[in-house]
Amino acid sequence: MPIYEYKCPACGHTFEELRKHNDRERPATCPNETCATEAVRLVSRTSFELKGGGWAKDGYSG
Ligand SMILES: [Zn+2]
């Protein structure tokens, strides 16, 4: 089962959830009980890291 990463737009909390493939479109809810806002799914962790590396390289060389 793939793991999806989510971010809560209200409190900024990020978390991961293991989802069955046919269950991936179901919204995730912020695990913070006082928040419980519907979270948005982030792009895959792999592409996120590649992007981050690009920024870091530009920053250090400049
Ligand atoms: Zn939240």
Side-chain angles (χ1 to χ4, degrees):
M1 273 189 285
I3 295 176
Y4 295 103
E5 195 170 11
Y6 297 86
K7 181 172 185 176
C8 173
C11 71
H13 182 70
T14 56
F15 58 100
E16 291 171 344
E17 275 197 21
L18 204 60
R19 285 292 176 88
K20 289 176 185 164
H21 192 69
N22 62 5
D23 198 26
R24 63 181 173 172
E25 300 303 334
R26 185 166 57 85
T29 304
C30 181
N32 186 343
E33 281 182 24
T34 60
C35 178
T37 301
E38 190 174 301
V40 293
R41 196 171 76 216
L42 300 177
V43 294
S44 82
R45 186 171 282 257
T46 307
S47 59
F48 217 78
E49 280 178 6
L50 287 174
K51 264 189 214 161
W55 296 338
K57 239 184 229 170
D58 290 347
Y60 290 131
S61 64

